[in-house]
Amino acid sequence: MFFLLWGVLVWLGATGVFKLAGHFFFSPENPTLMILSYLLVIPLILVLTLPLYKWKQLNDHEKLKAAIFIALPGMLLDVIVLLNFQEIFTNLSPDADQYFASWLLWAYSLIIVTGFLKAKTK
């Protein structure tokens, strides 16, 4: 339940950021910022997941399950968001929906990949 709640909180935070400043991240006129948003989410996902796995002392199987539970709420909620993209993200061009959707797939994939990462052994 903890990781589902964490997933909802992460989704809320990300959705809020894109509601307020998404036009900086998903503008085809500024490919540098778009590429940067794809790259910067990598360390962000690592910070949002790996310390939690360590804190909760999860084994490999539990990490994968936790990663899925973190990603799942956002994936389900973003179905609604993407269907109502223009109404929710009024600050974004309607054409930005494809970039936003690809970024979401990238971010959720990264979350799930963290569940496969092995912990360093001493």
Coordinates of all heavy atoms in Angstrom, one line a residue, residues 4-90:
L4 N 2.0 2.1 -3.6 CA 0.9 2.7 -4.4 C 0.6 4.1 -4.0 O 0.5 5.0 -4.9 CB -0.4 1.9 -4.1 CG -0.5 0.5 -4.8 CD1 -1.8 -0.2 -4.3 CD2 -0.6 0.7 -6.3
L5 N 0.6 4.4 -2.7 CA 0.5 5.8 -2.3 C 1.6 6.7 -2.8 O 1.4 7.8 -3.3 CB 0.4 5.9 -0.8 CG 0.2 7.3 -0.2 CD1 -1.1 8.0 -0.7 CD2 0.2 7.2 1.3
W6 N 2.8 6.2 -2.7 CA 4.0 6.9 -3.2 C 3.8 7.2 -4.7 O 4.1 8.3 -5.2 CB 5.3 6.1 -2.9 CG 6.5 6.9 -3.4 CD1 7.4 6.5 -4.4 CD2 7.0 8.1 -2.9 NE1 8.4 7.4 -4.5 CE2 8.2 8.4 -3.6 CE3 6.6 9.0 -1.9 CZ2 8.9 9.5 -3.3 CZ3 7.4 10.1 -1.6 CH2 8.5 10.4 -2.4
G7 N 3.3 6.2 -5.5 CA 3.1 6.4 -6.9 C 2.1 7.5 -7.2 O 2.2 8.3 -8.1
V8 N 1.0 7.5 -6.4 CA 0.0 8.6 -6.5 C 0.7 10.0 -6.2 O 0.4 10.9 -7.0 CB -1.2 8.4 -5.6 CG1 -2.1 9.6 -5.6 CG2 -2.0 7.1 -6.1
L9 N 1.5 10.0 -5.2 CA 2.1 11.3 -4.8 C 3.1 11.8 -5.9 O 3.1 12.9 -6.3 CB 2.8 11.2 -3.5 CG 1.9 11.0 -2.3 CD1 2.7 10.8 -1.0 CD2 1.0 12.2 -2.1
V10 N 3.8 10.8 -6.5 CA 4.8 11.1 -7.5 C 4.0 11.6 -8.8 O 4.3 12.6 -9.4 CB 5.7 9.9 -7.9 CG1 6.4 10.2 -9.2 CG2 6.6 9.6 -6.8
W11 N 2.9 11.0 -9.1 CA 2.0 11.4 -10.2 C 1.5 12.8 -10.0 O 1.5 13.6 -10.9 CB 0.9 10.4 -10.4 CG -0.1 10.8 -11.4 CD1 0.1 10.6 -12.8 CD2 -1.3 11.5 -11.2 NE1 -1.0 11.2 -13.4 CE2 -1.9 11.7 -12.5 CE3 -2.0 11.9 -10.1 CZ2 -3.1 12.4 -12.7 CZ3 -3.2 12.6 -10.3 CH2 -3.7 12.8 -11.6
L12 N 1.0 13.0 -8.8 CA 0.5 14.4 -8.5 C 1.5 15.4 -8.6 O 1.2 16.5 -9.2 CB -0.1 14.4 -7.0 CG -1.5 13.9 -6.8 CD1 -1.8 13.8 -5.3 CD2 -2.5 14.8 -7.5
G13 N 2.7 15.2 -8.1 CA 3.8 16.1 -8.2 C 4.2 16.4 -9.7 O 4.3 17.6 -10.1
A14 N 4.3 15.3 -10.5 CA 4.7 15.5 -11.9 C 3.6 16.2 -12.7 O 3.9 17.1 -13.5 CB 5.0 14.1 -12.5
T15 N 2.4 15.8 -12.4 CA 1.3 16.4 -13.1 C 1.2 17.9 -12.8 O 0.9 18.7 -13.7 CB -0.1 15.7 -12.8 OG1 0.1 14.3 -13.1 CG2 -1.2 16.3 -13.5
G16 N 1.4 18.2 -11.5 CA 1.4 19.7 -11.1 C 2.5 20.5 -11.8 O 2.3 21.6 -12.3
V17 N 3.7 19.9 -11.9 CA 4.8 20.5 -12.6 C 4.5 20.8 -14.0 O 4.7 21.9 -14.5 CB 6.1 19.7 -12.4 CG1 7.2 20.2 -13.4 CG2 6.6 19.7 -11.0
F18 N 3.9 19.8 -14.7 CA 3.6 19.9 -16.1 C 2.4 20.8 -16.4 O 2.4 21.5 -17.4 CB 3.5 18.6 -16.8 CG 4.8 17.8 -16.8 CD1 4.8 16.5 -16.4 CD2 5.9 18.4 -17.2 CE1 6.0 15.8 -16.4 CE2 7.1 17.7 -17.2 CZ 7.2 16.4 -16.8
K19 N 1.5 20.9 -15.4 CA 0.4 21.8 -15.5 C 0.9 23.3 -15.5 O 0.4 24.1 -16.2 CB -0.6 21.5 -14.4 CG -1.7 22.5 -14.3 CD -2.8 22.3 -15.4 CE -4.0 23.2 -15.2 NZ -4.6 23.6 -16.4
L20 N 1.9 23.5 -14.6 CA 2.4 24.9 -14.4 C 3.5 25.2 -15.4 O 3.6 26.4 -15.9 CB 2.9 25.0 -13.0 CG 1.9 24.9 -11.9 CD1 2.6 24.9 -10.5 CD2 0.8 26.0 -12.0
A21 N 4.4 24.3 -15.7 CA 5.5 24.6 -16.5 C 5.8 23.7 -17.7 O 6.9 23.6 -18.2 CB 6.8 24.6 -15.6
G22 N 4.8 22.9 -18.1 CA 5.0 21.9 -19.2 C 5.4 22.5 -20.5 O 6.1 21.9 -21.3
H23 N 5.0 23.8 -20.7 CA 5.3 24.5 -22.0 C 6.8 24.6 -22.1 O 7.3 24.8 -23.2 CB 4.6 25.8 -22.1 CG 4.8 26.7 -20.9 ND1 4.2 26.5 -19.7 CD2 5.5 27.8 -20.8 CE1 4.6 27.5 -18.9 NE2 5.4 28.3 -19.6
F24 N 7.6 24.6 -21.0 CA 9.0 24.7 -21.1 C 9.6 23.3 -21.6 O 10.7 23.3 -22.2 CB 9.7 25.1 -19.8 CG 9.3 26.4 -19.4 CD1 8.6 26.7 -18.2 CD2 9.8 27.5 -20.1 CE1 8.3 28.0 -17.8 CE2 9.4 28.8 -19.7 CZ 8.7 29.0 -18.5
F25 N 9.0 22.2 -21.2 CA 9.5 20.9 -21.4 C 9.1 20.3 -22.7 O 9.8 19.5 -23.3 CB 9.1 19.9 -20.3 CG 9.6 20.4 -18.9 CD1 8.7 21.0 -18.0 CD2 10.9 20.2 -18.6 CE1 9.2 21.3 -16.8 CE2 11.4 20.6 -17.3 CZ 10.5 21.2 -16.4
F26 N 7.9 20.6 -23.2 CA 7.3 19.9 -24.3 C 7.0 20.8 -25.5 O 5.9 20.9 -25.9 CB 6.1 19.1 -23.9 CG 6.4 18.1 -22.9 CD1 5.9 18.2 -21.6 CD2 7.2 17.0 -23.1 CE1 6.1 17.3 -20.6 CE2 7.5 16.1 -22.1 CZ 7.0 16.3 -20.8
S27 N 8.0 21.5 -25.9 CA 7.9 22.4 -27.1 C 8.7 22.0 -28.2 O 10.0 22.0 -28.1 CB 8.3 23.8 -26.6 OG 8.3 24.7 -27.7
P28 N 8.1 21.6 -29.3 CA 8.9 21.1 -30.5 C 9.9 22.2 -31.0 O 10.9 21.9 -31.6 CB 7.9 20.8 -31.5 CG 6.6 20.6 -30.8 CD 6.7 21.5 -29.6
E29 N 9.6 23.5 -30.7 CA 10.4 24.6 -31.1 C 11.7 24.6 -30.3 O 12.7 25.3 -30.6 CB 9.7 25.9 -31.0 CG 8.5 26.1 -31.9 CD 7.3 25.4 -31.3 OE1 7.1 25.4 -30.1 OE2 6.5 24.9 -32.1
N30 N 11.8 23.9 -29.2 CA 12.9 23.9 -28.3 C 13.4 22.4 -28.0 O 13.2 21.9 -26.9 CB 12.7 24.6 -27.0 CG 14.0 25.0 -26.3 OD1 15.0 24.4 -26.6 ND2 13.9 26.0 -25.5
P31 N 13.9 21.8 -29.0 CA 14.3 20.3 -28.8 C 15.3 20.1 -27.7 O 15.3 19.1 -27.1 CB 14.8 19.9 -30.2 CG 15.1 21.2 -30.9 CD 14.3 22.2 -30.4
T32 N 16.2 21.1 -27.5 CA 17.2 20.9 -26.4 C 16.5 20.7 -25.1 O 16.9 19.8 -24.3 CB 18.1 22.2 -26.4 OG1 18.7 22.4 -27.7 CG2 19.2 22.0 -25.3
L33 N 15.5 21.5 -24.8 CA 14.8 21.4 -23.5 C 14.0 20.0 -23.4 O 13.9 19.4 -22.4 CB 13.9 22.5 -23.2 CG 14.5 23.7 -22.6 CD1 13.4 24.8 -22.4 CD2 15.1 23.4 -21.2
M34 N 13.5 19.6 -24.6 CA 12.8 18.4 -24.6 C 13.7 17.2 -24.3 O 13.4 16.3 -23.5 CB 12.0 18.1 -25.9 CG 10.7 18.7 -25.9 SD 9.5 17.9 -27.0 CE 10.3 18.1 -28.6
I35 N 14.9 17.2 -25.0 CA 15.9 16.2 -24.8 C 16.3 16.2 -23.3 O 16.5 15.2 -22.7 CB 17.0 16.3 -25.7 CG1 16.6 16.0 -27.2 CG2 18.2 15.4 -25.3 CD1 17.5 16.4 -28.2
L36 N 16.5 17.4 -22.8 CA 16.9 17.5 -21.4 C 15.9 17.0 -20.4 O 16.3 16.3 -19.4 CB 17.2 19.0 -21.1 CG 18.1 19.3 -19.9 CD1 19.5 18.7 -20.1 CD2 18.2 20.8 -19.8
S37 N 14.6 17.1 -20.7 CA 13.6 16.6 -19.9 C 13.6 15.0 -19.9 O 13.4 14.4 -18.9 CB 12.2 17.1 -20.2 OG 11.8 16.5 -21.4
Y38 N 14.0 14.5 -21.0 CA 14.1 13.0 -21.1 C 15.3 12.5 -20.3 O 15.3 11.4 -19.7 CB 14.2 12.5 -22.5 CG 12.9 12.5 -23.3 CD1 12.3 13.7 -23.8 CD2 12.2 11.3 -23.5 CE1 11.1 13.7 -24.5 CE2 11.0 11.3 -24.2 CZ 10.5 12.5 -24.7 OH 9.3 12.5 -25.3
L39 N 16.4 13.3 -20.3 CA 17.6 12.9 -19.7 C 17.5 13.1 -18.2 O 18.0 12.3 -17.4 CB 18.8 13.6 -20.2 CG 19.2 13.2 -21.7 CD1 20.3 14.1 -22.2 CD2 19.5 11.8 -21.8
L40 N 17.0 14.2 -17.8 CA 16.9 14.6 -16.3 C 16.0 13.7 -15.5 O 16.1 13.6 -14.3 CB 16.6 16.1 -16.2 CG 17.7 17.0 -16.6 CD1 17.2 18.5 -16.4 CD2 19.0 16.8 -15.8
V41 N 15.0 13.1 -16.2 CA 14.1 12.2 -15.4 C 14.8 10.9 -15.0 O 14.4 10.3 -14.0 CB 12.9 11.9 -16.3 CG1 13.1 10.9 -17.3 CG2 11.7 11.4 -15.3
I42 N 16.0 10.6 -15.6 CA 16.7 9.4 -15.2 C 17.2 9.5 -13.7 O 16.8 8.7 -12.9 CB 17.8 9.1 -16.2 CG1 17.3 8.7 -17.6 CG2 18.7 7.9 -15.6 CD1 18.3 8.7 -18.7
P43 N 18.0 10.5 -13.4 CA 18.4 10.6 -12.0 C 17.2 10.9 -11.1 O 17.2 10.4 -9.9 CB 19.4 11.7 -12.0 CG 19.2 12.5 -13.2 CD 18.6 11.6 -14.2
L44 N 16.2 11.6 -11.5 CA 15.0 11.9 -10.7 C 14.3 10.6 -10.3 O 14.0 10.3 -9.1 CB 14.1 12.8 -11.4 CG 12.8 13.2 -10.6 CD1 13.2 13.9 -9.3 CD2 11.9 14.0 -11.5
I45 N 14.1 9.7 -11.3 CA 13.5 8.4 -11.0 C 14.4 7.6 -10.0 O 13.9 6.9 -9.1 CB 13.3 7.6 -12.3 CG1 12.2 8.3 -13.2 CG2 12.9 6.1 -12.0 CD1 10.9 8.4 -12.6
L46 N 15.7 7.6 -10.2 CA 16.6 6.9 -9.3 C 16.4 7.4 -7.9 O 16.4 6.6 -6.9 CB 18.0 6.9 -9.8 CG 18.3 6.3 -11.1 CD1 19.7 6.5 -11.6 CD2 18.0 4.8 -11.1
V47 N 16.3 8.7 -7.7 CA 16.2 9.3 -6.4 C 14.8 9.0 -5.8 O 14.7 8.8 -4.5 CB 16.5 10.8 -6.5 CG1 16.0 11.5 -5.2 CG2 17.9 11.1 -6.8
L48 N 13.8 8.9 -6.6 CA 12.5 8.6 -6.1 C 12.2 7.2 -5.8 O 11.2 6.8 -5.2 CB 11.4 9.1 -7.1 CG 11.3 10.6 -7.3 CD1 10.4 11.0 -8.4 CD2 10.9 11.3 -6.0
T49 N 13.1 6.3 -6.2 CA 12.8 4.8 -6.0 C 13.9 4.1 -5.2 O 13.6 3.5 -4.2 CB 12.7 4.1 -7.4 OG1 13.9 4.3 -8.1 CG2 11.5 4.6 -8.1
L50 N 15.1 4.2 -5.6 CA 16.2 3.4 -5.0 C 16.3 3.6 -3.5 O 16.5 2.6 -2.7 CB 17.5 3.6 -5.7 CG 17.5 3.1 -7.2 CD1 18.9 3.3 -7.8 CD2 17.0 1.7 -7.4
P51 N 16.3 4.8 -3.0 CA 16.4 5.0 -1.5 C 15.2 4.3 -0.8 O 15.4 3.8 0.3 CB 16.4 6.5 -1.3 CG 16.9 7.1 -2.6 CD 16.4 6.1 -3.7
L52 N 14.1 4.4 -1.4 CA 12.9 3.7 -0.8 C 13.1 2.2 -0.7 O 12.7 1.6 0.3 CB 11.6 4.0 -1.5 CG 11.1 5.4 -1.4 CD1 9.8 5.6 -2.2 CD2 10.8 5.8 0.1
Y53 N 13.6 1.6 -1.7 CA 13.9 0.2 -1.7 C 14.8 -0.2 -0.6 O 14.7 -1.2 0.1 CB 14.4 -0.3 -3.1 CG 13.6 0.0 -4.3 CD1 14.1 0.0 -5.6 CD2 12.2 0.2 -4.2 CE1 13.4 0.3 -6.7 CE2 11.4 0.5 -5.3 CZ 12.0 0.5 -6.6 OH 11.3 0.8 -7.7
K54 N 15.9 0.6 -0.5 CA 16.9 0.4 0.5 C 16.3 0.6 1.9 O 16.5 -0.2 2.8 CB 18.1 1.3 0.3 CG 19.2 1.0 1.2 CD 20.5 1.8 0.9 CE 21.6 1.4 1.8 NZ 22.9 1.9 1.4
W55 N 15.5 1.7 2.1 CA 14.9 2.0 3.4 C 14.0 0.9 3.8 O 14.0 0.5 5.0 CB 14.2 3.3 3.3 CG 13.4 3.7 4.5 CD1 13.9 3.8 5.8 CD2 12.1 4.1 4.6 NE1 12.9 4.2 6.6 CE2 11.8 4.4 5.9 CE3 11.1 4.2 3.6 CZ2 10.5 4.8 6.3 CZ3 9.8 4.6 4.0 CH2 9.5 4.9 5.4
K56 N 13.2 0.4 2.9 CA 12.3 -0.7 3.2 C 12.9 -2.1 3.2 O 12.3 -3.1 3.5 CB 11.1 -0.7 2.2 CG 10.2 0.5 2.3 CD 9.4 0.4 3.6 CE 8.3 1.5 3.6 NZ 7.4 1.4 4.7
Q57 N 14.2 -2.2 2.9 CA 15.0 -3.4 2.9 C 14.3 -4.5 2.0 O 14.1 -5.6 2.5 CB 15.2 -3.9 4.3 CG 16.0 -2.9 5.2 CD 16.2 -3.4 6.6 OE1 15.5 -4.3 7.1 NE2 17.1 -2.7 7.3
L58 N 14.1 -4.1 0.8 CA 13.4 -5.0 -0.1 C 14.3 -6.0 -0.8 O 15.4 -5.6 -1.2 CB 12.6 -4.2 -1.2 CG 11.6 -3.2 -0.7 CD1 10.9 -2.5 -1.9 CD2 10.6 -3.8 0.2
N59 N 13.9 -7.2 -0.9 CA 14.7 -8.2 -1.7 C 14.4 -7.9 -3.2 O 13.5 -7.1 -3.6 CB 14.4 -9.6 -1.3 CG 13.0 -10.1 -1.5 OD1 12.4 -9.7 -2.5 ND2 12.5 -10.9 -0.7
D60 N 15.0 -8.7 -4.1 CA 14.9 -8.4 -5.5 C 13.4 -8.6 -6.0 O 12.9 -7.8 -6.8 CB 15.8 -9.4 -6.3 CG 17.2 -9.0 -6.2 OD1 17.5 -7.8 -5.8 OD2 18.1 -9.8 -6.5
H61 N 12.7 -9.6 -5.5 CA 11.3 -9.8 -5.9 C 10.4 -8.7 -5.4 O 9.6 -8.2 -6.1 CB 10.8 -11.1 -5.4 CG 9.4 -11.4 -5.6 ND1 8.9 -11.7 -6.9 CD2 8.3 -11.3 -4.8 CE1 7.6 -11.8 -6.9 NE2 7.2 -11.6 -5.6
E62 N 10.7 -8.2 -4.2 CA 9.9 -7.2 -3.6 C 10.2 -5.8 -4.3 O 9.3 -5.0 -4.4 CB 10.2 -7.0 -2.1 CG 9.7 -8.2 -1.3 CD 10.3 -8.2 0.2 OE1 11.4 -7.7 0.4 OE2 9.6 -8.8 1.1
K63 N 11.4 -5.6 -4.7 CA 11.7 -4.4 -5.5 C 10.9 -4.3 -6.7 O 10.4 -3.2 -7.1 CB 13.2 -4.3 -5.8 CG 14.1 -3.8 -4.6 CD 15.4 -3.4 -5.0 CE 16.2 -4.4 -5.8 NZ 17.6 -4.1 -6.0
L64 N 10.9 -5.4 -7.5 CA 10.1 -5.4 -8.7 C 8.6 -5.1 -8.5 O 8.0 -4.3 -9.2 CB 10.3 -6.7 -9.5 CG 9.6 -6.8 -10.8 CD1 10.0 -5.6 -11.7 CD2 9.9 -8.1 -11.5
K65 N 8.1 -5.7 -7.4 CA 6.7 -5.5 -7.1 C 6.5 -4.0 -6.7 O 5.5 -3.4 -7.1 CB 6.3 -6.4 -5.9 CG 4.9 -6.5 -5.6 CD 4.6 -7.5 -4.5 CE 3.2 -7.5 -4.0 NZ 2.9 -8.5 -3.0
A66 N 7.4 -3.5 -5.9 CA 7.3 -2.1 -5.5 C 7.4 -1.2 -6.7 O 6.6 -0.2 -6.7 CB 8.4 -1.8 -4.5
A67 N 8.3 -1.4 -7.6 CA 8.4 -0.6 -8.8 C 7.1 -0.6 -9.6 O 6.6 0.5 -10.1 CB 9.5 -1.1 -9.7
I68 N 6.5 -1.7 -9.7 CA 5.2 -1.8 -10.4 C 4.1 -1.0 -9.7 O 3.3 -0.3 -10.3 CB 4.8 -3.3 -10.6 CG1 5.8 -4.0 -11.6 CG2 3.3 -3.4 -11.1 CD1 5.6 -5.5 -11.7
F69 N 4.1 -1.2 -8.4 CA 3.1 -0.4 -7.6 C 3.4 1.1 -7.6 O 2.4 1.9 -7.5 CB 3.1 -0.9 -6.1 CG 2.5 -2.2 -5.9 CD1 2.6 -2.9 -4.7 CD2 1.7 -2.8 -6.9 CE1 2.0 -4.1 -4.5 CE2 1.0 -4.0 -6.7 CZ 1.2 -4.7 -5.5
I70 N 4.6 1.5 -7.8 CA 4.9 3.0 -7.9 C 4.4 3.4 -9.3 O 3.7 4.5 -9.4 CB 6.3 3.3 -7.7 CG1 6.8 3.0 -6.3 CG2 6.7 4.7 -8.1 CD1 8.3 3.0 -6.1
A71 N 4.6 2.7 -10.3 CA 4.3 3.1 -11.7 C 2.8 3.0 -12.0 O 2.2 3.8 -12.7 CB 5.0 2.3 -12.7
L72 N 2.1 2.0 -11.4 CA 0.7 1.7 -11.8 C -0.3 2.8 -11.6 O -1.1 3.1 -12.5 CB 0.3 0.4 -11.1 CG -1.0 -0.2 -11.6 CD1 -0.9 -0.6 -13.0 CD2 -1.3 -1.5 -10.7
P73 N -0.3 3.5 -10.4 CA -1.3 4.5 -10.3 C -1.2 5.6 -11.3 O -2.2 6.1 -11.9 CB -1.1 5.1 -8.9 CG -0.2 4.1 -8.2 CD 0.5 3.3 -9.2
G74 N 0.0 6.1 -11.6 CA 0.2 7.1 -12.6 C -0.2 6.6 -14.0 O -0.8 7.4 -14.7
M75 N 0.2 5.4 -14.3 CA -0.2 4.9 -15.6 C -1.7 4.9 -15.8 O -2.2 5.3 -16.9 CB 0.4 3.5 -15.8 CG 1.9 3.5 -15.9 SD 2.6 1.8 -15.9 CE 2.3 1.3 -17.5
L76 N -2.4 4.5 -14.8 CA -3.9 4.4 -14.9 C -4.5 5.8 -14.9 O -5.3 6.1 -15.7 CB -4.5 3.6 -13.7 CG -4.1 2.1 -13.7 CD1 -4.6 1.5 -12.4 CD2 -4.8 1.5 -14.9
L77 N -4.0 6.7 -14.1 CA -4.5 8.1 -14.0 C -4.1 8.9 -15.3 O -4.9 9.7 -15.8 CB -3.9 8.8 -12.8 CG -4.5 8.3 -11.5 CD1 -3.7 8.8 -10.3 CD2 -6.0 8.7 -11.3
D78 N -3.0 8.6 -15.9 CA -2.6 9.3 -17.1 C -3.4 8.8 -18.3 O -3.4 9.6 -19.3 CB -1.1 9.1 -17.4 CG -0.3 10.1 -16.6 OD1 -0.8 11.2 -16.3 OD2 0.9 9.8 -16.2
V79 N -4.1 7.7 -18.2 CA -5.1 7.4 -19.3 C -6.1 8.5 -19.4 O -6.4 9.0 -20.5 CB -5.7 6.0 -19.1 CG1 -6.9 5.8 -20.0 CG2 -4.7 4.9 -19.2
I80 N -6.6 8.9 -18.2 CA -7.6 10.0 -18.2 C -7.0 11.3 -18.6 O -7.6 12.1 -19.3 CB -8.2 10.0 -16.7 CG1 -8.9 8.7 -16.4 CG2 -9.2 11.2 -16.6 CD1 -9.2 8.5 -14.9
V81 N -5.8 11.5 -18.1 CA -5.1 12.8 -18.4 C -4.9 12.9 -19.9 O -5.2 14.0 -20.5 CB -3.8 12.9 -17.7 CG1 -3.0 14.0 -18.2 CG2 -4.0 13.1 -16.2
L82 N -4.5 11.9 -20.6 CA -4.2 12.0 -22.0 C -5.5 12.1 -22.8 O -5.5 12.8 -23.9 CB -3.4 10.8 -22.4 CG -1.9 10.8 -22.0 CD1 -1.2 9.5 -22.3 CD2 -1.1 11.9 -22.6
L83 N -6.5 11.5 -22.3 CA -7.8 11.6 -23.1 C -8.4 13.0 -22.9 O -9.2 13.5 -23.8 CB -8.8 10.6 -22.5 CG -8.6 9.2 -22.9 CD1 -9.5 8.2 -22.2 CD2 -8.7 9.0 -24.4
N84 N -8.0 13.8 -21.9 CA -8.4 15.1 -21.7 C -7.3 16.1 -21.7 O -7.3 17.1 -21.0 CB -9.2 15.2 -20.3 CG -10.4 14.3 -20.3 OD1 -11.4 14.6 -20.9 ND2 -10.3 13.2 -19.6
F85 N -6.3 15.8 -22.5 CA -5.0 16.6 -22.5 C -5.3 18.1 -22.7 O -4.7 18.9 -21.9 CB -4.1 16.0 -23.7 CG -2.8 16.7 -23.7 CD1 -1.8 16.3 -22.9 CD2 -2.5 17.7 -24.6 CE1 -0.5 16.9 -22.9 CE2 -1.3 18.3 -24.7 CZ -0.3 17.9 -23.8
Q86 N -6.0 18.5 -23.7 CA -6.2 19.9 -24.0 C -6.9 20.7 -22.8 O -6.6 21.8 -22.6 CB -7.0 20.1 -25.3 CG -6.1 19.8 -26.5 CD -6.9 20.0 -27.7 OE1 -7.9 19.4 -28.0 NE2 -6.5 21.0 -28.5
E87 N -7.8 20.0 -22.1 CA -8.6 20.6 -21.0 C -7.7 20.7 -19.8 O -7.8 21.7 -19.0 CB -9.8 19.8 -20.7 CG -10.9 19.9 -21.8 CD -10.7 18.9 -22.9 OE1 -9.9 17.9 -22.7 OE2 -11.2 19.1 -24.0
I88 N -6.8 19.8 -19.6 CA -6.0 19.7 -18.4 C -4.7 20.6 -18.5 O -4.4 21.4 -17.7 CB -5.6 18.3 -18.0 CG1 -6.9 17.5 -17.6 CG2 -4.6 18.2 -16.9 CD1 -6.7 16.0 -17.4
F89 N -4.1 20.4 -19.7 CA -2.8 21.2 -19.9 C -3.1 22.3 -20.9 O -2.6 22.3 -22.0 CB -1.7 20.2 -20.4 CG -1.4 19.2 -19.4 CD1 -1.7 17.9 -19.6 CD2 -0.6 19.5 -18.3 CE1 -1.4 16.9 -18.6 CE2 -0.3 18.6 -17.3 CZ -0.7 17.3 -17.5
T90 N -3.8 23.3 -20.4 CA -4.1 24.4 -21.3 C -2.9 25.3 -21.7 O -2.9 26.0 -22.6 CB -5.1 25.3 -20.5 OG1 -4.6 25.7 -19.3 CG2 -6.4 24.6 -20.4

